[in-house]
Amino acid sequence: MPACFSAGIFIWAIISGIVLSVPTVLCGFPTTLTIHRAFPNDQRVGLNQLRALDRVRHGRFLQSVNGVVGFPLEGSYDPYRVGLYYTTVKLGSPAQEFHVQIDTGSDVLWVSCNGCSGCPTTSGLQMQLNAFDASSSSTASVVSCTDSACSLGTTSSDSLCNSQNNRCSYQFTYGDGSGASGYYVSDVFHLETVVGNNWTSNNSATIVFGCSTQETGDLTKSDRAVDGIFGFGQQPMSVVSQLASQGITPRVFSHCLRGDSSGGGILVLGEIVEPGIVYTPLVSSQSHYNLNLQSISVDGQILSINSSAFTTSSNSGTIVDSGTTLAYLAQSAYDPFVNAITDAVSQSVRPLLSKGSQCYLITSSVNEVFPNVSLNFAGGASLILTPQDYLLEQKSSIAGASVWCIGIQKTDGQELTILGDLVLKDKIVVYDLARQQIGWVNYDCATTVNVSANTTTGTNTNTYINTGQLTNSSSSRHSFHTIMLVAIMALLLHI
């Protein structure tokens, strides 16, 4: 491994309007991308609107043998409140800039291409849309059917062969009826590192990504349009897997999402290391990040729920998805869960139904009244939810009492559980694809995190790097450096 240099070098990142210095090193791909979220975090939004937001998201799960397509949710559709994470990537030589949605529910990075049919040209997200022009890039090459890169996506249906022109192609159909099709290109993926105050060091890697020539359905609409999708799935065609196969990054990524009104957070191509992280195995041979949820406890008491509610199949199981705003429980698990919460607080609050949601009138602190909930997974790992991890405060009050509603919703008609931002916030979450496991621990995501400096997983290390300072503090932690580091890409989140 080549030597790297750190001593006083910083990445400058903008989080929630504050310019922050982030210690880093010059080696491989130390870089920072800024991720924005197209959902205002300074507004309290009704549950109906949030369910509608998630319905669009869940419709974007790729249709596949083991995947789960959209399911019925209540609520009205409001296109200007679609919650999605997006970031800026640079591709080609010279670099062309694109805004792409971050998506853990798919694998491939693809962008719109010149001459695309149905691709929007304007966006309601107040960004300039661009189309990739392979002919303008001196390093671009079309991936052929016989290229080894094309074979990487055949088993996961991420690639197919167009016999008419010998191009390695793709045709993605999403659960909401939208779709994207095109061909694969091999070109330079730029990772920009801002060093000090004045100059930029550009690092790059050659990757395979999609060049879309046709989009259909909701992808053609301008209201929430971006240039493409950045898949963070676990199949070989994902950028995570491609960079790992080149020895540039480990085959693991992590995030820590702030749950306060300031938003923000960090997403790292690497392993965030923190004492107390518990891990549970990923369910094998699944398109998404499926876990084996075994039981649910409320106030320490395991609920009486048939284990079949959590069995993984083509239309059931438990999925971790940071693109989902709320969280959803399998239909046969939902009523026992809500009833247990209501029974536990019946002497202290007044229950009421509001637009189909179970709500409560509260005059004291929710943490003093409501019980903790434990989601118990295979391997002995439990995800502990405090009241603010499963309740949402509403905009209105009644007779001076605050209205809090259960934010975890029911997936009517399916035994599907989806763990979204509501339960993932204020936690470090590690997606360890090399070991096929996901881990988590409660954490103050406004503080710094330590990231393992190994390019591979499976070995212990005592070498960490402080990758992000999400407050304007000048704490001594701010100057923590490391001499040896390999490629870790940190993506700072705006929520």
Side-chain angles (χ1 to χ4, degrees):
M1 181 173 63
C4 307
F5 307 90
S6 73
I9 298 173
F10 293 87
I11 291 176
W12 291 90
I14 300 176
I15 304 177
S16 300
I18 303 174
V19 178
L20 308 171
S21 55
V22 182
T24 188
V25 297
L26 288 180
C27 176
F29 288 73
T31 186
T32 300
L33 299 179
T34 299
I35 291 183
H36 306 267
R37 188 177 185 184
F39 190 86
N41 70 323
D42 57 349
Q43 303 178 17
R44 289 179 181 170
V45 180
L47 280 172
N48 283 353
Q49 292 170 304
L50 293 174
R51 284 194 293 261
L53 180 157
D54 283 337
R55 181 175 186 174
V56 175
R57 161 64 185 166
H58 298 155
R60 291 289 175 87
F61 284 154
L62 281 177
Q63 294 180 350
S64 65
V65 174
N66 294 315
V68 179
V69 300
F71 51 87
L73 297 174
E74 298 177 4
S76 60
Y77 175 74
D78 185 345
Y80 289 99
R81 292 186 179 275
V82 173
L84 57 84
Y85 294 102
Y86 63 91
T87 191
T88 301
V89 298
K90 293 182 179 180
L91 302 167
S93 302
Q96 303 172 46
E97 187 173 281
F98 305 94
H99 299 286
V100 289
Q101 177 184 348
I102 296 297
D103 181 21
T104 59
S106 62
D107 302 308
V108 173
L109 166 63
W110 64 261
V111 295
S112 302
C113 271
N114 265 9
C116 177
S117 173
C119 294
T121 56
T122 60
S123 174
L125 300 178
Q126 306 304 311
M127 65 175 65
Q128 178 180 336
L129 297 182
N130 299 308
F132 182 75
D133 185 358
S135 64
S136 298
S137 174
S138 62
T139 50
S141 61
V142 175
V143 178
S144 69
C145 293
T146 56
D147 194 301
S148 59
C150 189
S151 62
L152 292 177
T154 54
T155 57
S156 58
S157 300
D158 285 331
S159 64
L160 50 91
C161 182
N162 187 329
S163 58
Q164 293 182 344
N165 52 27
N166 197 36
R167 283 180 173 177
C168 184
S169 305
Y170 60 89
Q171 185 170 353
F172 299 142
T173 302
Y174 298 90
D176 62 355
S178 62
S181 59
Y183 59 93
Y184 284 105
V185 173
S186 175
D187 207 345
V188 175
F189 178 43
H190 297 270
L191 303 175
E192 186 176 78
T193 304
V194 180
V195 181
N197 294 318
N198 302 311
W199 59 280
T200 298
S201 173
N202 290 320
N203 298 294
S204 61
T206 299
I207 64 167
V208 172
F209 60 91
C211 187
S212 287
T213 57
Q214 183 175 23
E215 295 178 18
T216 59
D218 277 356
L219 289 176
T220 66
K221 296 179 178 178
S222 295
D223 45 33
R224 57 183 180 277
V226 289
D227 293 318
I229 291 179
F230 194 161
F232 271 78
Q234 52 187 315
Q235 300 301 325
M237 292 294 281
S238 73
V239 172
V240 174
S241 295
Q242 291 188 59
L243 294 180
S245 68
Q246 298 178 44
I248 295 169
T249 63
R251 197 161 177 258
V252 54
F253 67 96
S254 318
H255 62 64
C256 194
L257 306 177
R258 290 179 62 169
D260 58 23
S261 59
S262 298
I266 188 166
L267 173 63
V268 179
L269 285 188
E271 180 182 3
I272 297 180
V273 182
E274 178 67 20
I277 293 182
V278 294
Y279 285 91
T280 186
L282 283 165
V283 179
S284 61
S285 304
Q286 298 298 307
S287 300
H288 306 294
Y289 292 110
N290 288 74
L291 302 180
N292 184 6
L293 177 61
Q294 296 180 327
S295 65
I296 300 175
S297 302
V298 173
D299 205 15
Q301 300 297 312
I302 295 179
L303 303 183
S304 179
I305 300 172
N306 193 307
S307 60
S308 63
F310 307 124
T311 302
T312 299
S313 69
S314 60
N315 61 354
S316 64
T318 301
I319 295 173
V320 177
D321 179 44
S322 60
T324 291
T325 304
L326 300 173
Y328 296 80
L329 274 183
Q331 62 172 356
S332 62
Y334 188 76
D335 288 342
F337 167 73
V338 172
N339 292 338
I341 297 294
T342 303
D343 290 345
V345 299
S346 60
Q347 301 300 314
S348 305
V349 304
R350 177 186 164 191
L352 75 155
L353 289 176
S354 175
K355 298 179 180 179
S357 296
Q358 180 61 61
C359 302
Y360 309 90
L361 293 180
I362 304 172
T363 56
S364 57
S365 168
V366 292
N367 290 325
E368 295 175 358
V369 176
F370 283 81
N372 284 349
V373 172
S374 177
L375 305 181
N376 307 311
F377 294 86
S382 292
L383 183 65
I384 307 301
L385 308 181
T386 66
Q388 292 190 341
D389 290 332
Y390 63 84
L391 294 172
L392 287 173
E393 186 176 9
Q394 301 305 290
K395 291 183 290 186
S396 59
S397 61
I398 299 177
S402 299
V403 180
W404 289 74
C405 298
I406 291 183
I408 298 177
Q409 304 295 299
K410 180 195 293 187
T411 53
D412 290 323
Q414 287 186 321
E415 299 291 19
L416 177 65
T417 296
I418 302 176
L419 306 179
D421 290 347
L422 181 65
V423 300
L424 298 178
K425 61 180 170 56
D426 299 318
K427 296 173 181 65
I428 290 171
V429 182
V430 180
Y431 301 73
D432 189 341
L433 308 186
R435 299 187 186 97
Q436 284 293 286
Q437 60 183 7
I438 289 183
W440 55 78
V441 67
N442 289 340
Y443 197 76
D444 180 0
C445 297
T447 62
T448 59
V449 295
N450 289 328
V451 177
S452 171
N454 275 357
T455 50
T456 58
T457 57
T459 58
N460 294 325
T461 177
N462 293 319
T463 307
Y464 309 109
I465 181 170
N466 176 334
T467 60
Q469 178 72 31
L470 303 187
T471 63
N472 204 16
S473 168
S474 58
S475 155
S476 61
R477 298 185 67 181
H478 208 57
S479 60
F480 182 88
H481 302 298
T482 178
I483 301 301
M484 302 298 288
L485 180 71
V486 296
I488 294 175
M489 184 166 69
L491 296 88
L492 299 175
L493 307 181
H494 276 186
I495 298 181

